[in-house]
């Protein structure tokens, strides 16, 4: 056994303070996940306690929304912890949200404002997630970058 100490790990761009863009992207993903949990819980409770047209469909829809909420919630947690794997699920969540927003915009109901909000949040989160500062903060190498 030697008395040598282990060398200190090299510092990288990911060691500094978390960029505001990364925090904002995590907040938007977390907001989407929380909205899915609330919507799923509402459907589930309505299916169990209320008198919907089809209780089984309401229960299944509620459980599905709650399970779907796990993707953006885990992505948000990973983004806050600066885990490089978290950007993929966060981007997938935003891409999945865009057709939902479009569908809500096509409705003739009070769903139109929801579609506008969802579309704005999805596009904003996508812009934040592909931003070079976010990529560097997560330690993701871009094509053409040196492989030091």
């Amino acid at each position: 056994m030697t008395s040598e100490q282990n060398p200190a790990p090299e510092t990288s761009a990911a060691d500094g303070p978390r960029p505001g863009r990364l925090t904002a992207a995590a907040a938007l993903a977390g907001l989407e996940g929380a909205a899915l949990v609330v919507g799923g819980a509402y459907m589930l409770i309505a299916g169990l306690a209320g008198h919907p047209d089809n209780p089984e469909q309401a229960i299944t829809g509620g459980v599905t929304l709650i399970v779907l909420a796990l993707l953006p919630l885990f992505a948000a947690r990973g983004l806050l912890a600066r885990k490089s794997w978290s950007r993929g699920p966060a981007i997938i969540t935003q891409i999945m949200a865009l057709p939902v927003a479009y569908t809500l915009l096509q409705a003739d109901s009070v769903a139109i404002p929801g579609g506008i909000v969802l579309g704005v949040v999805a596009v904003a989160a996508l812009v934040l997630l592909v931003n070079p500062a976010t990529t560097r903060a997560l330690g993701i190498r871009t094509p053409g970058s040196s492989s030091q």
Side-chain angles (χ1 to χ4, degrees):
M1 197 174 254
T2 64
S3 62
E4 291 181 31
Q5 292 181 331
N6 291 334
E10 293 182 27
T11 59
S12 67
D15 292 336
R18 184 181 329 121
R21 290 177 177 100
L22 182 58
T23 305
L28 291 175
L31 178 68
E32 288 172 334
L36 284 169
V37 168
V38 168
Y42 174 78
M43 286 179 70
L44 188 61
I45 291 169
L48 292 172
H51 299 288
D53 293 338
N54 189 340
E56 293 83 17
Q57 189 175 17
I59 293 169
T60 302
V63 170
T64 301
L65 284 180
I66 292 170
V67 170
L68 284 175
L70 295 176
L71 183 65
L73 290 174
F74 283 138
R77 184 168 185 226
L79 289 170
L80 287 175
R82 294 177 134 184
K83 303 293 183 185
S84 61
W85 60 261
S86 62
R87 192 174 86 148
I91 288 175
I92 289 169
T93 299
Q94 306 319 315
I95 291 172
M96 288 176 13
L98 290 173
V100 174
Y102 179 77
T103 302
L104 291 173
L105 289 171
Q106 301 304 310
D108 276 340
S109 68
V110 295
I112 293 174
I116 293 169
V117 170
L118 181 58
V120 168
V121 167
V123 169
L126 278 171
V127 168
L128 292 169
L129 288 166
V130 299
N131 187 283
T134 302
T135 304
R136 279 191 304 275
L138 293 173
I140 300 171
R141 291 187 328 185
T142 58
S145 66
S146 62
S147 58
Q148 296 180 21

